[in-house]
Amino acid sequence: MLDSIFDYLHFHFSVEAPIVLLILVFLEAVLSADNAIALAAIAQGLEDKELEGKALNFGLVIAYVLRISLILTATWVQNFWQFELLGAAYLLWLVFQHFTSEETQDEHHHGPRFSSLWQAIPVIAFTDLAFSLDSVTTAIAVSQERWLVLTGATIGIITLRFMAGLFIRWLDEYANLEDAGYITVAFVGLRLLLKVVNDDLVPPEWLMITAIALILAWGFSKRTVAPLPQAEPEKTEVSK
């Protein structure tokens, strides 16, 4: 029983396994930066700060199940270009929605508003799934051993939750960060679209990472100026 499971997961430990795992974790962390910003921006659609954290927790639990399912069925999924087309369309729709919606008056936020926690959770889960269509393909290209890819995905989803929590705070501190995040989301969506059209047109991984790093550097370049509290005029006593 265990032998058949290990064979299915290609569980064959070798000296190179820790090195490959480190590469997978590094790729997950680098390629998750834009994903984390998008998820943080979606969570900010909730009015309550406490609900933002809960939405990320529940959404990423569902996203983890979907991501593991994608890894286990990756060979089958890769035979259908329609999945990548749907993922590209969804991500590009998020970008279009972000840049065509109006900012709220009280804060620098575009995009949908959610009246309840359960409206935000599926959006977070399916957004991560759309990103995973690209990252899982990259991970499988690095290693054909499923147990390594699964381990990398597990560490990656934990890292993603930590990064999204940081970005929720940073989105309030840096004026351009949300726009920068969605520009990188557009890169991922266009990359998936190019895979569907012609795989030879897909830019190399190093170019994507460099472009994402430059856009995020711009995103962190300008801090939000907090309005200074107005001092009330001192009351002077009128002597009689």
Side-chain angles (χ1 to χ4, degrees):
M1 179 68 178
L2 286 177
D3 291 341
S4 60
I5 294 174
F6 286 164
D7 288 339
Y8 178 72
L9 295 177
H10 300 282
F11 188 88
H12 303 290
F13 189 82
S14 61
V15 178
E16 295 83 4
I19 299 174
V20 174
L21 183 58
L22 284 175
I23 294 173
L24 290 172
V25 171
F26 172 76
L27 287 173
E28 283 282 354
V30 172
L31 297 176
S32 292
D34 47 1
N35 189 359
I37 296 178
L39 297 185
I42 290 170
Q44 277 196 329
L46 290 161
E47 298 291 341
D48 191 341
K49 289 293 181 183
E50 185 178 346
L51 290 180
E52 290 178 2
K54 289 182 178 180
L56 286 173
N57 290 335
F58 287 116
L60 287 177
V61 167
I62 299 173
Y64 177 67
V65 175
L66 293 175
R67 190 182 290 199
I68 295 302
S69 301
L70 180 61
I71 292 171
L72 295 177
T73 59
T75 306
W76 176 78
V77 169
Q78 287 176 336
N79 293 327
F80 297 92
W81 55 267
Q82 291 88 345
F83 287 109
E84 290 178 338
L85 181 61
L86 285 173
Y90 178 75
L91 292 177
L92 293 175
W93 173 78
L94 283 179
V95 175
F96 174 79
Q97 187 184 46
H98 169 76
F99 285 108
T100 56
S101 61
E102 296 182 357
E103 286 186 24
T104 54
Q105 295 180 353
D106 56 337
E107 57 186 88
H108 184 73
H109 176 74
H110 295 268
R113 286 288 180 181
F114 304 106
S115 59
S116 71
L117 177 68
W118 305 110
Q119 289 179 340
I121 288 174
V123 178
I124 289 173
F126 284 108
T127 299
D128 180 77
L129 179 62
F131 273 95
S132 297
L133 287 170
D134 185 50
S135 62
V136 166
T137 304
T138 303
I140 292 175
V142 173
S143 175
Q144 293 295 321
E145 298 196 29
R146 287 191 181 92
W147 75 271
L148 276 176
V149 179
L150 289 171
T151 305
T154 302
I155 298 173
I157 207 79
I158 296 171
T159 305
L160 180 60
R161 174 60 185 90
F162 174 73
M163 291 174 65
L166 288 176
F167 277 118
I168 281 182
R169 189 181 71 223
W170 289 339
L171 285 172
D172 294 329
E173 296 181 12
Y174 296 93
N176 298 326
L177 186 56
E178 188 174 6
D179 290 341
Y182 275 97
I183 292 173
T184 60
V185 172
F187 286 171
V188 178
L190 290 173
R191 177 183 165 89
L192 283 172
L193 190 60
L194 288 175
K195 280 185 178 181
V196 175
V197 176
N198 188 342
D199 208 32
D200 294 332
L201 298 175
V202 177
E205 205 67 52
W206 67 266
L207 185 59
M208 283 287 295
I209 293 174
T210 303
I212 289 173
L214 290 174
I215 295 297
L216 292 183
W218 170 73
F220 282 105
S221 64
K222 181 181 178 183
R223 282 185 176 273
T224 304
V225 179
L228 295 174
Q230 295 181 352
E232 295 183 0
E234 294 183 1
K235 296 181 180 179
T236 57
E237 294 185 0
V238 179
S239 57
K240 294 182 180 180

